[in-house]
Amino acid sequence: SVFSHQVCSPLIQAARCYARPVRRKVKDIPSHLDDLPPTMLKKDYANVPAVNSVDDVVRRLLSLEMASQKEKMKIKTEQLVEKVRRSPHDNGSFEVQVAILTAKIRTFEEHLQKHPKDKNNLRRMLMAVDRRMKLLTYLRRVRYQTFEKTCQVLGIQYNPPPAYSRRVTKRWLVKKAFCLKVYQEARKLKAPERLKKRREWQARARAAREQAAQLEG
């Protein structure tokens, strides 16, 4: 019995270890919402005068200490928008859209660090990143100073998209030459029709000018 116990004990020990639930250590991931003070009131109650006369329990319920992630996101988004908006009533400029997308992207990044297999939120984040890249590219081309200020204030590192390059092969050159030849032949076939339409348009314009001259005379 001692021998059998010595032989079977490793198997029993392995089975016990296999059946034991694995406890994963939850990493403490920093959030971009950590800088919001817990004593700050929610967005819907910040400008209510009666809030100052309530007791501490009600004030805690109305503050960010008991707020949800969605309510904290509203305040964080409003803070980012206030940094870049052109006027107090600016709610749709390119800078404001970039600030709103930045708040969403940072929330998606934190969520994906905890749940890396969430493909749906990954797709949403990539769509938001692509949209923000297009807005920043437009700002960089049209209003460069505003672009620099927006990236500096929001902490965005802009990496311009690489220039499009295509490998030139013999097959591609032959295909391109064939397409050009087909295009030129098609233009030759449609040339009489284009000339006819042009002459009709010129005749109508000439008739309109003559009619206008007769009315004036």
Side-chain angles (χ1 to χ4, degrees), residues 101 105 108 120-134:
L101 289 172
I105 290 169
F108 283 135
N120 189 18
N121 280 319
L122 176 61
R123 174 176 169 274
R124 293 181 181 178
M125 187 190 73
L126 293 178
M127 290 173 63
V129 169
D130 185 59
R131 174 64 179 164
R132 188 180 68 174
M133 177 64 71
K134 290 179 181 179

Side-chain angles (χ1 to χ4, degrees), residues 97-146:
Q97 296 181 46
V98 169
I100 295 173
L101 289 172
T102 301
K104 291 182 179 179
I105 290 169
R106 290 172 181 172
T107 304
F108 283 135
E109 288 177 348
E110 295 172 7
H111 177 79
L112 290 172
Q113 288 179 359
K114 299 178 182 177
H115 311 281
K117 295 184 179 181
D118 192 348
K119 304 298 181 183
N120 189 18
N121 280 319
L122 176 61
R123 174 176 169 274
R124 293 181 181 178
M125 187 190 73
L126 293 178
M127 290 173 63
V129 169
D130 185 59
R131 174 64 179 164
R132 188 180 68 174
M133 177 64 71
K134 290 179 181 179
L135 294 173
L136 289 174
T137 303
Y138 177 81
L139 271 179
R140 187 171 182 263
R141 186 175 71 252
V142 178
R143 304 176 62 186
Y144 189 77
Q145 293 182 353
T146 306

